[in-house]
Amino acid sequence: MDNKLTMKTKVGFGICDVGGNLFFTVMAFQLASYLTDTVGMTAVLMGISMMIGRIVDAVTDPLMGFISDRTRSRWGRRRPYLLFGAIPLFVCMVLMFTNPHMESQGNLFVWITLIFCLLSVAYTVVNIPYGALTPELTKDFHQRTVLNGYRMSFAVVGTLLGAGAALPIIQSAADESAGYRLMGIIFGGIMMVTALITFFTVKEPSQPAAQKHEKRFLLKEYVTAFRNKPFLLILIPWALFITGVTITSSSLKYYFEYVVLDANGVTMALLVLLVFALLGIPVWVKVSKRIGKRLSYMTGMAIFSAGILLLSFLGDRVSVTGLYCIMALTGAGLSTHYIIPYALIPDVIEWDYAHTGQRREGIYYGLWTFISKLGQALSGLIIGITLSASGYVANTMQGAASVSAIRFLTGAIPTVVIIAGILVIRSYPISEEVYREIILKSEKLDRADETV
């Protein structure tokens, strides 16, 4: 296929991640406090519910990748799921943020867990095939970078919407319950529409003949993926990084409400964080060309860790300007979390193809999302247990133990997790020189396919 991507393809592909990152932002920044402070779940049940939902969701990710790898239709392998998954995603998003007003903690736990599982699976049906499109639309190294740049730009737009528009929407309604439901309708609608735009504007390339009739087995695909050492060396850090980032992001609303004592201040702080994350994207793209993706990622996450440590222990003691400076520093480091991981996945998929002769994009993106959701599940459980052990009580002035717990959840705990990830990714082996050797092997396989 022609490796030159049209503007229609680049924009049409990227826009789906407005909804994708909007989903992650709302889940990270709003869901925990919504469940404890508005719905009325205990912190422990909230944490367990989120963990169960994430685990059920995570198990379906690689399965969805495998299914999309094997799908054959007039729309391609991936696009049908964007079409048929968009409406269920909207419906489940509305249900998730509709307060059931149940007095029984048992009934509430069952209902929230069920809806959260359905919502997460609906998101999986759309997001896994969408992600697997990335390495299929072009094999050109630089065009992949451009395509990923468009995607991440739209992703940050989604994050800004989720962080900046959520509270104004909630506060525009008569009460919090009505506000959250309105937010669910608006954000769910955006997720649905952006997925449909990608379906109608992006066309999939045809698959090589040698790939069309092969017999593939799910367990064998998993085993092969986990034998890919470069993949493991980015997968494990990704799991640790996503856990650390999610613990911080989910704790920020608690931090501003109960430590800074300015519940509304979280919106502006998040906007500063995300604007600097967006501004940092082109900077880190240039830096990664000079020092490599691995070192860029390590440096960025180290900066992020420094920022959240400063925030957790000094955020309520500095001026507003000082607070925003800390958020800006944190956002500058967070930029790498947006762009570098998604620039690494196509490299390890290409490594797999060069060594096995098989394309299994769906499996890799499914496992990638599977691990990220396990990290999010673990973060929810850590938050729930920590808050409960500290004596946290919703919607009241917190005691010294709860304030300390919130500080540690915002900074120290995620920093320890992130440092562990930095230590692992130090061994990641695919440099630009190694990648060129991988491409030479892949091109030989492509030429062999063409003769079949």
Side-chain angles (χ1 to χ4, degrees), residues 149-287:
Y150 274 82
R151 178 184 178 181
M152 289 302 105
S153 296
F154 280 110
V156 175
V157 171
T159 304
L160 285 168
L161 276 174
L167 283 182
I169 291 173
I170 294 166
Q171 293 171 351
S172 70
D175 56 63
E176 273 197 355
S177 292
Y180 275 109
R181 186 171 188 273
L182 178 61
M183 183 195 74
I185 292 171
I186 294 173
F187 287 174
I190 293 172
M191 294 174 200
M192 176 178 65
V193 170
T194 53
L196 292 175
I197 289 173
T198 298
F199 170 80
F200 285 110
T201 57
V202 175
K203 306 299 180 185
E204 293 181 53
S206 59
Q207 294 303 305
Q211 295 280 330
K212 287 185 177 179
H213 303 294
E214 63 200 4
K215 290 184 178 180
R216 309 278 283 275
F217 300 97
L218 183 59
L219 183 58
K220 185 177 180 181
E221 298 286 88
Y222 290 169
V223 171
T224 301
F226 281 112
R227 286 176 178 169
N228 183 337
K229 185 178 179 181
F231 177 61
L232 291 180
L233 289 173
I234 63 170
L235 184 68
I236 294 170
W238 169 250
L240 293 167
F241 292 156
I242 199 73
T243 300
V245 170
T246 304
I247 291 172
T248 294
S249 60
S250 297
S251 302
L252 282 176
K253 193 171 181 182
Y254 294 109
Y255 181 81
F256 274 85
E257 183 169 356
Y258 299 118
V259 180
V260 179
L261 303 179
D262 180 12
N264 293 327
V266 68
T267 299
M268 183 56 67
L270 286 174
L271 287 175
V272 172
L273 173 80
L274 295 170
V275 165
F276 275 85
L278 177 60
L279 293 174
I281 288 177
V283 176
W284 283 110
V285 168
K286 292 181 179 179
V287 170

